[in-house]
PDB file of all heavy atoms in Angstrom:
ATOM      1  N   LEU A   1      59.381  -3.444  12.411  1.00 98.00           N
ATOM      2  CA  LEU A   1      59.885  -4.406  11.433  1.00 98.00           C
ATOM      3  C   LEU A   1      61.384  -4.243  11.204  1.00 98.00           C
ATOM      4  O   LEU A   1      61.893  -3.113  11.127  1.00 98.00           O
ATOM      5  CB  LEU A   1      59.174  -4.235  10.088  1.00 98.00           C
ATOM      6  CG  LEU A   1      57.647  -4.350  10.060  1.00 98.00           C
ATOM      7  CD1 LEU A   1      57.136  -4.118   8.648  1.00 98.00           C
ATOM      8  CD2 LEU A   1      57.190  -5.705  10.583  1.00 98.00           C
ATOM      9  N   SER A   2      62.065  -5.365  11.037  1.00 97.00           N
ATOM     10  CA  SER A   2      63.442  -5.347  10.550  1.00 97.00           C
ATOM     11  C   SER A   2      63.420  -5.104   9.043  1.00 97.00           C
ATOM     12  O   SER A   2      62.365  -5.232   8.401  1.00 97.00           O
ATOM     13  CB  SER A   2      64.112  -6.695  10.844  1.00 97.00           C
ATOM     14  OG  SER A   2      63.513  -7.717  10.046  1.00 97.00           O
ATOM     15  N   PRO A   3      64.538  -4.755   8.422  1.00 97.00           N
ATOM     16  CA  PRO A   3      64.553  -4.592   6.959  1.00 97.00           C
ATOM     17  C   PRO A   3      64.061  -5.843   6.231  1.00 97.00           C
ATOM     18  O   PRO A   3      63.344  -5.738   5.228  1.00 97.00           O
ATOM     19  CB  PRO A   3      66.017  -4.292   6.654  1.00 97.00           C
ATOM     20  CG  PRO A   3      66.527  -3.627   7.891  1.00 97.00           C
ATOM     21  CD  PRO A   3      65.829  -4.340   9.021  1.00 97.00           C
ATOM     22  N   GLU A   4      64.432  -7.015   6.749  1.00 97.00           N
ATOM     23  CA  GLU A   4      64.008  -8.259   6.095  1.00 97.00           C
ATOM     24  C   GLU A   4      62.504  -8.463   6.232  1.00 97.00           C
ATOM     25  O   GLU A   4      61.830  -8.902   5.286  1.00 97.00           O
ATOM     26  CB  GLU A   4      64.761  -9.449   6.698  1.00 97.00           C
ATOM     27  CG  GLU A   4      66.253  -9.478   6.392  1.00 97.00           C
ATOM     28  CD  GLU A   4      67.049  -8.459   7.205  1.00 97.00           C
ATOM     29  OE1 GLU A   4      66.564  -8.045   8.290  1.00 97.00           O
ATOM     30  OE2 GLU A   4      68.143  -8.073   6.743  1.00 97.00           O
ATOM     31  N   GLN A   5      61.972  -8.157   7.416  1.00 98.00           N
ATOM     32  CA  GLN A   5      60.515  -8.266   7.587  1.00 98.00           C
ATOM     33  C   GLN A   5      59.783  -7.249   6.712  1.00 98.00           C
ATOM     34  O   GLN A   5      58.726  -7.546   6.152  1.00 98.00           O
ATOM     35  CB  GLN A   5      60.148  -8.048   9.054  1.00 98.00           C
ATOM     36  CG  GLN A   5      60.506  -9.207   9.965  1.00 98.00           C
ATOM     37  CD  GLN A   5      60.231  -8.894  11.419  1.00 98.00           C
ATOM     38  OE1 GLN A   5      60.449  -7.766  11.884  1.00 98.00           O
ATOM     39  NE2 GLN A   5      59.749  -9.886  12.169  1.00 98.00           N
ATOM     40  N   ALA A   6      60.336  -6.062   6.577  1.00 98.00           N
ATOM     41  CA  ALA A   6      59.716  -5.046   5.717  1.00 98.00           C
ATOM     42  C   ALA A   6      59.673  -5.540   4.272  1.00 98.00           C
ATOM     43  O   ALA A   6      58.651  -5.383   3.583  1.00 98.00           O
ATOM     44  CB  ALA A   6      60.471  -3.736   5.817  1.00 98.00           C
ATOM     45  N   MET A   7      60.762  -6.133   3.802  1.00 98.00           N
ATOM     46  CA  MET A   7      60.770  -6.696   2.445  1.00 98.00           C
ATOM     47  C   MET A   7      59.739  -7.812   2.308  1.00 98.00           C
ATOM     48  O   MET A   7      59.037  -7.912   1.300  1.00 98.00           O
ATOM     49  CB  MET A   7      62.173  -7.226   2.110  1.00 98.00           C
ATOM     50  CG  MET A   7      63.219  -6.169   1.861  1.00 98.00           C
ATOM     51  SD  MET A   7      64.841  -6.907   1.506  1.00 98.00           S
ATOM     52  CE  MET A   7      64.521  -7.726  -0.072  1.00 98.00           C
ATOM     53  N   TYR A   8      59.663  -8.661   3.345  1.00 97.00           N
ATOM     54  CA  TYR A   8      58.749  -9.803   3.316  1.00 97.00           C
ATOM     55  C   TYR A   8      57.302  -9.327   3.194  1.00 97.00           C
ATOM     56  O   TYR A   8      56.562  -9.779   2.312  1.00 97.00           O
ATOM     57  CB  TYR A   8      58.928 -10.637   4.586  1.00 97.00           C
ATOM     58  CG  TYR A   8      58.167 -11.939   4.607  1.00 97.00           C
ATOM     59  CD1 TYR A   8      58.783 -13.132   4.266  1.00 97.00           C
ATOM     60  CD2 TYR A   8      56.822 -11.982   4.971  1.00 97.00           C
ATOM     61  CE1 TYR A   8      58.093 -14.340   4.291  1.00 97.00           C
ATOM     62  CE2 TYR A   8      56.115 -13.168   4.995  1.00 97.00           C
ATOM     63  CZ  TYR A   8      56.757 -14.348   4.659  1.00 97.00           C
ATOM     64  OH  TYR A   8      56.052 -15.536   4.668  1.00 97.00           O
ATOM     65  N   TYR A   9      56.896  -8.403   4.073  1.00 97.00           N
ATOM     66  CA  TYR A   9      55.491  -7.983   4.081  1.00 97.00           C
ATOM     67  C   TYR A   9      55.168  -7.028   2.926  1.00 97.00           C
ATOM     68  O   TYR A   9      54.014  -6.932   2.505  1.00 97.00           O
ATOM     69  CB  TYR A   9      55.125  -7.390   5.438  1.00 97.00           C
ATOM     70  CG  TYR A   9      54.925  -8.485   6.469  1.00 97.00           C
ATOM     71  CD1 TYR A   9      55.963  -8.887   7.312  1.00 97.00           C
ATOM     72  CD2 TYR A   9      53.729  -9.169   6.560  1.00 97.00           C
ATOM     73  CE1 TYR A   9      55.802  -9.914   8.229  1.00 97.00           C
ATOM     74  CE2 TYR A   9      53.546 -10.194   7.473  1.00 97.00           C
ATOM     75  CZ  TYR A   9      54.581 -10.572   8.303  1.00 97.00           C
ATOM     76  OH  TYR A   9      54.411 -11.608   9.194  1.00 97.00           O
ATOM     77  N   PHE A  10      56.182  -6.357   2.399  1.00 98.00           N
ATOM     78  CA  PHE A  10      55.996  -5.566   1.178  1.00 98.00           C
ATOM     79  C   PHE A  10      55.729  -6.494  -0.009  1.00 98.00           C
ATOM     80  O   PHE A  10      54.803  -6.279  -0.796  1.00 98.00           O
ATOM     81  CB  PHE A  10      57.242  -4.711   0.933  1.00 98.00           C
ATOM     82  CG  PHE A  10      57.267  -4.003  -0.390  1.00 98.00           C
ATOM     83  CD1 PHE A  10      56.442  -2.911  -0.637  1.00 98.00           C
ATOM     84  CD2 PHE A  10      58.133  -4.417  -1.389  1.00 98.00           C
ATOM     85  CE1 PHE A  10      56.477  -2.245  -1.858  1.00 98.00           C
ATOM     86  CE2 PHE A  10      58.180  -3.760  -2.611  1.00 98.00           C
ATOM     87  CZ  PHE A  10      57.353  -2.665  -2.850  1.00 98.00           C
ATOM     88  N   LEU A  11      56.546  -7.523  -0.124  1.00 97.00           N
ATOM     89  CA  LEU A  11      56.365  -8.485  -1.213  1.00 97.00           C
ATOM     90  C   LEU A  11      55.049  -9.236  -1.075  1.00 97.00           C
ATOM     91  O   LEU A  11      54.394  -9.574  -2.070  1.00 97.00           O
ATOM     92  CB  LEU A  11      57.542  -9.461  -1.215  1.00 97.00           C
ATOM     93  CG  LEU A  11      57.775 -10.330  -2.455  1.00 97.00           C
ATOM     94  CD1 LEU A  11      57.879  -9.489  -3.714  1.00 97.00           C
ATOM     95  CD2 LEU A  11      59.031 -11.170  -2.275  1.00 97.00           C
ATOM     96  N   LEU A  12      54.626  -9.456   0.161  1.00 96.00           N
ATOM     97  CA  LEU A  12      53.383 -10.170   0.429  1.00 96.00           C
ATOM     98  C   LEU A  12      52.155  -9.319   0.066  1.00 96.00           C
ATOM     99  O   LEU A  12      51.230  -9.801  -0.596  1.00 96.00           O
ATOM    100  CB  LEU A  12      53.326 -10.542   1.913  1.00 96.00           C
ATOM    101  CG  LEU A  12      52.092 -11.302   2.400  1.00 96.00           C
ATOM    102  CD1 LEU A  12      52.105 -12.726   1.856  1.00 96.00           C
ATOM    103  CD2 LEU A  12      52.053 -11.307   3.932  1.00 96.00           C
ATOM    104  N   GLY A  13      52.128  -8.060   0.525  1.00 96.00           N
ATOM    105  CA  GLY A  13      51.006  -7.170   0.249  1.00 96.00           C
ATOM    106  C   GLY A  13      49.698  -7.686   0.826  1.00 96.00           C
ATOM    107  O   GLY A  13      48.678  -7.763   0.133  1.00 96.00           O
ATOM    108  N   TYR A  14      49.691  -7.983   2.132  1.00 95.00           N
ATOM    109  CA  TYR A  14      48.529  -8.622   2.751  1.00 95.00           C
ATOM    110  C   TYR A  14      47.449  -7.627   3.165  1.00 95.00           C
ATOM    111  O   TYR A  14      47.722  -6.584   3.758  1.00 95.00           O
ATOM    112  CB  TYR A  14      48.956  -9.416   3.990  1.00 95.00           C
ATOM    113  CG  TYR A  14      47.797  -9.795   4.891  1.00 95.00           C
ATOM    114  CD1 TYR A  14      46.796 -10.657   4.436  1.00 95.00           C
ATOM    115  CD2 TYR A  14      47.668  -9.256   6.175  1.00 95.00           C
ATOM    116  CE1 TYR A  14      45.715 -10.986   5.244  1.00 95.00           C
ATOM    117  CE2 TYR A  14      46.597  -9.582   6.986  1.00 95.00           C
ATOM    118  CZ  TYR A  14      45.617 -10.444   6.512  1.00 95.00           C
ATOM    119  OH  TYR A  14      44.543 -10.751   7.305  1.00 95.00           O
ATOM    120  N   SER A  15      46.216  -7.965   2.867  1.00 89.00           N
ATOM    121  CA  SER A  15      45.033  -7.320   3.424  1.00 89.00           C
ATOM    122  C   SER A  15      43.916  -8.363   3.354  1.00 89.00           C
ATOM    123  O   SER A  15      44.179  -9.556   3.139  1.00 89.00           O
ATOM    124  CB  SER A  15      44.678  -6.038   2.671  1.00 89.00           C
ATOM    125  OG  SER A  15      43.726  -5.290   3.415  1.00 89.00           O
ATOM    126  N   THR A  16      42.661  -7.953   3.513  1.00 86.00           N
ATOM    127  CA  THR A  16      41.563  -8.925   3.474  1.00 86.00           C
ATOM    128  C   THR A  16      40.354  -8.359   2.747  1.00 86.00           C
ATOM    129  O   THR A  16      40.095  -7.153   2.757  1.00 86.00           O
ATOM    130  CB  THR A  16      41.120  -9.344   4.890  1.00 86.00           C
ATOM    131  OG1 THR A  16      41.062  -8.192   5.734  1.00 86.00           O
ATOM    132  CG2 THR A  16      42.061 -10.346   5.486  1.00 86.00           C
ATOM    133  N   ASN A  17      39.618  -9.266   2.111  1.00 76.00           N
ATOM    134  CA  ASN A  17      38.276  -8.959   1.623  1.00 76.00           C
ATOM    135  C   ASN A  17      37.296  -9.288   2.733  1.00 76.00           C
ATOM    136  O   ASN A  17      37.462 -10.274   3.454  1.00 76.00           O
ATOM    137  CB  ASN A  17      37.934  -9.806   0.390  1.00 76.00           C
ATOM    138  CG  ASN A  17      38.734  -9.396  -0.822  1.00 76.00           C
ATOM    139  OD1 ASN A  17      39.062  -8.236  -0.986  1.00 76.00           O
ATOM    140  ND2 ASN A  17      39.045 -10.357  -1.685  1.00 76.00           N
ATOM    141  N   ILE A  18      36.272  -8.463   2.874  1.00 64.00           N
ATOM    142  CA  ILE A  18      35.315  -8.686   3.947  1.00 64.00           C
ATOM    143  C   ILE A  18      33.912  -8.851   3.389  1.00 64.00           C
ATOM    144  O   ILE A  18      33.613  -8.374   2.290  1.00 64.00           O
ATOM    145  CB  ILE A  18      35.329  -7.522   4.970  1.00 64.00           C
ATOM    146  CG1 ILE A  18      34.903  -6.211   4.311  1.00 64.00           C
ATOM    147  CG2 ILE A  18      36.703  -7.388   5.595  1.00 64.00           C
ATOM    148  CD1 ILE A  18      34.772  -5.067   5.286  1.00 64.00           C
ATOM    149  N   PRO A  19      33.044  -9.558   4.111  1.00 51.00           N
ATOM    150  CA  PRO A  19      31.666  -9.730   3.646  1.00 51.00           C
ATOM    151  C   PRO A  19      30.963  -8.384   3.459  1.00 51.00           C
ATOM    152  O   PRO A  19      31.184  -7.441   4.214  1.00 51.00           O
ATOM    153  CB  PRO A  19      31.008 -10.540   4.779  1.00 51.00           C
ATOM    154  CG  PRO A  19      32.141 -11.218   5.481  1.00 51.00           C
ATOM    155  CD  PRO A  19      33.295 -10.274   5.382  1.00 51.00           C
ATOM    156  N   GLY A  20      30.129  -8.321   2.424  1.00 45.00           N
ATOM    157  CA  GLY A  20      29.346  -7.113   2.190  1.00 45.00           C
ATOM    158  C   GLY A  20      29.928  -6.183   1.158  1.00 45.00           C
ATOM    159  O   GLY A  20      29.237  -5.341   0.605  1.00 45.00           O
ATOM    160  N   ILE A  21      31.234  -6.321   0.859  1.00 47.00           N
ATOM    161  CA  ILE A  21      31.860  -5.466  -0.158  1.00 47.00           C
ATOM    162  C   ILE A  21      31.779  -6.128  -1.520  1.00 47.00           C
ATOM    163  O   ILE A  21      31.429  -5.505  -2.517  1.00 47.00           O
ATOM    164  CB  ILE A  21      33.325  -5.166   0.213  1.00 47.00           C
ATOM    165  CG1 ILE A  21      33.380  -4.472   1.577  1.00 47.00           C
ATOM    166  CG2 ILE A  21      33.974  -4.309  -0.850  1.00 47.00           C
ATOM    167  CD1 ILE A  21      32.702  -3.129   1.634  1.00 47.00           C
ATOM    168  N   GLU A  22      32.123  -7.412  -1.580  1.00 47.00           N
ATOM    169  CA  GLU A  22      32.015  -8.172  -2.820  1.00 47.00           C
ATOM    170  C   GLU A  22      30.924  -9.226  -2.654  1.00 47.00           C
ATOM    171  O   GLU A  22      30.790  -9.843  -1.596  1.00 47.00           O
ATOM    172  CB  GLU A  22      33.356  -8.820  -3.177  1.00 47.00           C
ATOM    173  CG  GLU A  22      34.452  -7.789  -3.459  1.00 47.00           C
ATOM    174  CD  GLU A  22      35.746  -8.445  -3.923  1.00 47.00           C
ATOM    175  OE1 GLU A  22      35.711  -9.655  -4.226  1.00 47.00           O
ATOM    176  OE2 GLU A  22      36.761  -7.757  -3.991  1.00 47.00           O
ATOM    177  N   GLU A  23      30.154  -9.437  -3.708  1.00 45.00           N
ATOM    178  CA  GLU A  23      28.954 -10.253  -3.622  1.00 45.00           C
ATOM    179  C   GLU A  23      29.199 -11.657  -3.098  1.00 45.00           C
ATOM    180  O   GLU A  23      28.424 -12.184  -2.312  1.00 45.00           O
ATOM    181  CB  GLU A  23      28.288 -10.335  -5.000  1.00 45.00           C
ATOM    182  CG  GLU A  23      27.682  -9.007  -5.468  1.00 45.00           C
ATOM    183  CD  GLU A  23      26.977  -9.158  -6.783  1.00 45.00           C
ATOM    184  OE1 GLU A  23      26.888 -10.306  -7.286  1.00 45.00           O
ATOM    185  OE2 GLU A  23      26.522  -8.154  -7.340  1.00 45.00           O
ATOM    186  N   ASP A  24      30.274 -12.301  -3.526  1.00 49.00           N
ATOM    187  CA  ASP A  24      30.482 -13.707  -3.211  1.00 49.00           C
ATOM    188  C   ASP A  24      31.253 -13.935  -1.906  1.00 49.00           C
ATOM    189  O   ASP A  24      31.525 -15.071  -1.543  1.00 49.00           O
ATOM    190  CB  ASP A  24      31.228 -14.391  -4.366  1.00 49.00           C
ATOM    191  CG  ASP A  24      30.414 -14.376  -5.651  1.00 49.00           C
ATOM    192  OD1 ASP A  24      29.173 -14.381  -5.556  1.00 49.00           O
ATOM    193  OD2 ASP A  24      31.017 -14.347  -6.739  1.00 49.00           O
ATOM    194  N   VAL A  25      31.626 -12.871  -1.204  1.00 50.00           N
ATOM    195  CA  VAL A  25      32.420 -13.017   0.013  1.00 50.00           C
ATOM    196  C   VAL A  25      31.481 -13.137   1.217  1.00 50.00           C
ATOM    197  O   VAL A  25      30.755 -12.213   1.548  1.00 50.00           O
ATOM    198  CB  VAL A  25      33.381 -11.821   0.199  1.00 50.00           C
ATOM    199  CG1 VAL A  25      34.160 -11.963   1.504  1.00 50.00           C
ATOM    200  CG2 VAL A  25      34.336 -11.723  -0.986  1.00 50.00           C
ATOM    201  N   LYS A  26      31.495 -14.302   1.857  1.00 57.00           N
ATOM    202  CA  LYS A  26      30.616 -14.566   3.006  1.00 57.00           C
ATOM    203  C   LYS A  26      31.359 -14.527   4.332  1.00 57.00           C
ATOM    204  O   LYS A  26      30.756 -14.413   5.395  1.00 57.00           O
ATOM    205  CB  LYS A  26      29.935 -15.933   2.837  1.00 57.00           C
ATOM    206  CG  LYS A  26      29.176 -16.091   1.523  1.00 57.00           C
ATOM    207  CD  LYS A  26      28.108 -15.028   1.336  1.00 57.00           C
ATOM    208  CE  LYS A  26      27.360 -15.221   0.016  1.00 57.00           C
ATOM    209  NZ  LYS A  26      26.384 -14.117  -0.231  1.00 57.00           N
ATOM    210  N   GLU A  27      32.677 -14.682   4.299  1.00 69.00           N
ATOM    211  CA  GLU A  27      33.500 -14.614   5.503  1.00 69.00           C
ATOM    212  C   GLU A  27      34.831 -13.989   5.115  1.00 69.00           C
ATOM    213  O   GLU A  27      35.129 -13.855   3.925  1.00 69.00           O
ATOM    214  CB  GLU A  27      33.714 -16.008   6.100  1.00 69.00           C
ATOM    215  CG  GLU A  27      34.376 -16.989   5.165  1.00 69.00           C
ATOM    216  CD  GLU A  27      34.517 -18.372   5.779  1.00 69.00           C
ATOM    217  OE1 GLU A  27      33.710 -18.717   6.678  1.00 69.00           O
ATOM    218  OE2 GLU A  27      35.438 -19.090   5.367  1.00 69.00           O
ATOM    219  N   PRO A  28      35.650 -13.543   6.087  1.00 72.00           N
ATOM    220  CA  PRO A  28      36.910 -12.872   5.742  1.00 72.00           C
ATOM    221  C   PRO A  28      37.787 -13.745   4.843  1.00 72.00           C
ATOM    222  O   PRO A  28      37.904 -14.954   5.055  1.00 72.00           O
ATOM    223  CB  PRO A  28      37.578 -12.642   7.105  1.00 72.00           C
ATOM    224  CG  PRO A  28      36.484 -12.718   8.089  1.00 72.00           C
ATOM    225  CD  PRO A  28      35.460 -13.659   7.548  1.00 72.00           C
ATOM    226  N   GLU A  29      38.386 -13.116   3.835  1.00 83.00           N
ATOM    227  CA  GLU A  29      39.291 -13.816   2.923  1.00 83.00           C
ATOM    228  C   GLU A  29      40.601 -13.050   2.847  1.00 83.00           C
ATOM    229  O   GLU A  29      40.601 -11.837   2.605  1.00 83.00           O
ATOM    230  CB  GLU A  29      38.683 -13.910   1.518  1.00 83.00           C
ATOM    231  CG  GLU A  29      37.505 -14.834   1.386  1.00 83.00           C
ATOM    232  CD  GLU A  29      36.986 -14.895  -0.048  1.00 83.00           C
ATOM    233  OE1 GLU A  29      37.492 -14.109  -0.888  1.00 83.00           O
ATOM    234  OE2 GLU A  29      36.098 -15.704  -0.317  1.00 83.00           O
ATOM    235  N   ALA A  30      41.713 -13.764   3.073  1.00 89.00           N
ATOM    236  CA  ALA A  30      43.021 -13.133   2.919  1.00 89.00           C
ATOM    237  C   ALA A  30      43.248 -12.809   1.447  1.00 89.00           C
ATOM    238  O   ALA A  30      42.939 -13.608   0.564  1.00 89.00           O
ATOM    239  CB  ALA A  30      44.114 -14.064   3.433  1.00 89.00           C
ATOM    240  N   THR A  31      43.768 -11.624   1.194  1.00 90.00           N
ATOM    241  CA  THR A  31      44.109 -11.244  -0.172  1.00 90.00           C
ATOM    242  C   THR A  31      45.556 -10.763  -0.184  1.00 90.00           C
ATOM    243  O   THR A  31      46.001 -10.082   0.748  1.00 90.00           O
ATOM    244  CB  THR A  31      43.164 -10.159  -0.707  1.00 90.00           C
ATOM    245  OG1 THR A  31      43.536  -9.816  -2.043  1.00 90.00           O
ATOM    246  CG2 THR A  31      43.194  -8.903   0.138  1.00 90.00           C
ATOM    247  N   PHE A  32      46.274 -11.120  -1.211  1.00 95.00           N
ATOM    248  CA  PHE A  32      47.692 -10.786  -1.295  1.00 95.00           C
ATOM    249  C   PHE A  32      47.962 -10.109  -2.633  1.00 95.00           C
ATOM    250  O   PHE A  32      47.681 -10.663  -3.691  1.00 95.00           O
ATOM    251  CB  PHE A  32      48.548 -12.046  -1.151  1.00 95.00           C
ATOM    252  CG  PHE A  32      48.269 -12.816   0.116  1.00 95.00           C
ATOM    253  CD1 PHE A  32      47.480 -13.960   0.086  1.00 95.00           C
ATOM    254  CD2 PHE A  32      48.775 -12.384   1.319  1.00 95.00           C
ATOM    255  CE1 PHE A  32      47.209 -14.660   1.242  1.00 95.00           C
ATOM    256  CE2 PHE A  32      48.509 -13.077   2.492  1.00 95.00           C
ATOM    257  CZ  PHE A  32      47.725 -14.221   2.453  1.00 95.00           C
ATOM    258  N   SER A  33      48.482  -8.915  -2.549  1.00 94.00           N
ATOM    259  CA  SER A  33      48.783  -8.125  -3.740  1.00 94.00           C
ATOM    260  C   SER A  33      50.230  -7.664  -3.632  1.00 94.00           C
ATOM    261  O   SER A  33      50.519  -6.665  -2.965  1.00 94.00           O
ATOM    262  CB  SER A  33      47.837  -6.926  -3.840  1.00 94.00           C
ATOM    263  OG  SER A  33      48.031  -6.227  -5.042  1.00 94.00           O
ATOM    264  N   PRO A  34      51.176  -8.418  -4.230  1.00 96.00           N
ATOM    265  CA  PRO A  34      52.598  -8.094  -4.081  1.00 96.00           C
ATOM    266  C   PRO A  34      52.896  -6.617  -4.272  1.00 96.00           C
ATOM    267  O   PRO A  34      52.367  -5.963  -5.176  1.00 96.00           O
ATOM    268  CB  PRO A  34      53.255  -8.954  -5.165  1.00 96.00           C
ATOM    269  CG  PRO A  34      52.358 -10.157  -5.267  1.00 96.00           C
ATOM    270  CD  PRO A  34      50.963  -9.605  -5.089  1.00 96.00           C
ATOM    271  N   CYS A  35      53.725  -6.108  -3.374  1.00 97.00           N
ATOM    272  CA  CYS A  35      54.139  -4.696  -3.381  1.00 97.00           C
ATOM    273  C   CYS A  35      52.956  -3.762  -3.163  1.00 97.00           C
ATOM    274  O   CYS A  35      53.023  -2.574  -3.492  1.00 97.00           O
ATOM    275  CB  CYS A  35      54.865  -4.338  -4.678  1.00 97.00           C
ATOM    276  SG  CYS A  35      56.209  -5.466  -5.111  1.00 97.00           S
ATOM    277  N   PHE A  36      51.877  -4.287  -2.599  1.00 96.00           N
ATOM    278  CA  PHE A  36      50.645  -3.532  -2.361  1.00 96.00           C
ATOM    279  C   PHE A  36      50.125  -2.886  -3.642  1.00 96.00           C
ATOM    280  O   PHE A  36      49.524  -1.814  -3.605  1.00 96.00           O
ATOM    281  CB  PHE A  36      50.856  -2.473  -1.273  1.00 96.00           C
ATOM    282  CG  PHE A  36      51.154  -3.046   0.082  1.00 96.00           C
ATOM    283  CD1 PHE A  36      52.452  -3.095   0.565  1.00 96.00           C
ATOM    284  CD2 PHE A  36      50.134  -3.546   0.871  1.00 96.00           C
ATOM    285  CE1 PHE A  36      52.730  -3.631   1.816  1.00 96.00           C
ATOM    286  CE2 PHE A  36      50.404  -4.086   2.128  1.00 96.00           C
ATOM    287  CZ  PHE A  36      51.700  -4.134   2.596  1.00 96.00           C
ATOM    288  N   GLY A  37      50.366  -3.574  -4.765  1.00 94.00           N
ATOM    289  CA  GLY A  37      49.905  -2.991  -6.028  1.00 94.00           C
ATOM    290  C   GLY A  37      50.101  -3.910  -7.218  1.00 94.00           C
ATOM    291  O   GLY A  37      50.483  -3.452  -8.293  1.00 94.00           O
ATOM    292  N   ALA A  38      49.824  -5.205  -7.043  1.00 94.00           N
ATOM    293  CA  ALA A  38      50.087  -6.172  -8.110  1.00 94.00           C
ATOM    294  C   ALA A  38      49.447  -5.810  -9.451  1.00 94.00           C
ATOM    295  O   ALA A  38      50.073  -5.981 -10.500  1.00 94.00           O
ATOM    296  CB  ALA A  38      49.641  -7.575  -7.679  1.00 94.00           C
ATOM    297  N   PRO A  39      48.201  -5.304  -9.485  1.00 93.00           N
ATOM    298  CA  PRO A  39      47.604  -4.993 -10.792  1.00 93.00           C
ATOM    299  C   PRO A  39      48.333  -3.896 -11.556  1.00 93.00           C
ATOM    300  O   PRO A  39      48.120  -3.734 -12.757  1.00 93.00           O
ATOM    301  CB  PRO A  39      46.183  -4.537 -10.425  1.00 93.00           C
ATOM    302  CG  PRO A  39      45.912  -5.131  -9.092  1.00 93.00           C
ATOM    303  CD  PRO A  39      47.244  -5.104  -8.399  1.00 93.00           C
ATOM    304  N   PHE A  40      49.186  -3.134 -10.867  1.00 95.00           N
ATOM    305  CA  PHE A  40      49.861  -2.004 -11.501  1.00 95.00           C
ATOM    306  C   PHE A  40      51.322  -2.297 -11.833  1.00 95.00           C
ATOM    307  O   PHE A  40      52.001  -1.444 -12.413  1.00 95.00           O
ATOM    308  CB  PHE A  40      49.804  -0.770 -10.586  1.00 95.00           C
ATOM    309  CG  PHE A  40      48.512  -0.639  -9.836  1.00 95.00           C
ATOM    310  CD1 PHE A  40      48.505  -0.465  -8.461  1.00 95.00           C
ATOM    311  CD2 PHE A  40      47.291  -0.695 -10.489  1.00 95.00           C
ATOM    312  CE1 PHE A  40      47.319  -0.345  -7.752  1.00 95.00           C
ATOM    313  CE2 PHE A  40      46.096  -0.587  -9.789  1.00 95.00           C
ATOM    314  CZ  PHE A  40      46.111  -0.404  -8.428  1.00 95.00           C
ATOM    315  N   LEU A  41      51.812  -3.462 -11.435  1.00 96.00           N
ATOM    316  CA  LEU A  41      53.220  -3.785 -11.658  1.00 96.00           C
ATOM    317  C   LEU A  41      53.447  -4.194 -13.112  1.00 96.00           C
ATOM    318  O   LEU A  41      52.616  -4.859 -13.713  1.00 96.00           O
ATOM    319  CB  LEU A  41      53.667  -4.906 -10.731  1.00 96.00           C
ATOM    320  CG  LEU A  41      53.501  -4.673  -9.228  1.00 96.00           C
ATOM    321  CD1 LEU A  41      54.055  -5.864  -8.453  1.00 96.00           C
ATOM    322  CD2 LEU A  41      54.177  -3.379  -8.794  1.00 96.00           C
ATOM    323  N   ALA A  42      54.576  -3.794 -13.631  1.00 96.00           N
ATOM    324  CA  ALA A  42      54.941  -4.215 -14.983  1.00 96.00           C
ATOM    325  C   ALA A  42      56.069  -5.243 -14.936  1.00 96.00           C
ATOM    326  O   ALA A  42      56.114  -6.163 -15.747  1.00 96.00           O
ATOM    327  CB  ALA A  42      55.365  -3.007 -15.816  1.00 96.00           C
TER     328      ALA A  42
END
């Protein structure tokens, strides 16, 4: 990654929810949590 790409994907915080972990998830779902920790940001 370039510095700009690192900032982009850090701000994005991309991962996925997969079937079987959460009850309502039947197929892969993109999930985005800015800075890889949105629930913890102030």
Side-chain angles (χ1 to χ4, degrees):
L1 303 179
S2 68
E4 292 75 23
Q5 287 175 322
M7 288 179 66
Y8 187 97
Y9 283 94
F10 172 73
L11 195 54
L12 180 71
Y14 165 64
S15 193
T16 43
N17 290 327
I18 63 175
I21 301 297
E22 296 185 11
E23 291 183 4
D24 297 330
V25 178
K26 305 303 180 185
E27 59 182 26
E29 290 181 354
T31 180
F32 304 102
S33 186
C35 309
F36 295 101
F40 323 128
L41 303 183

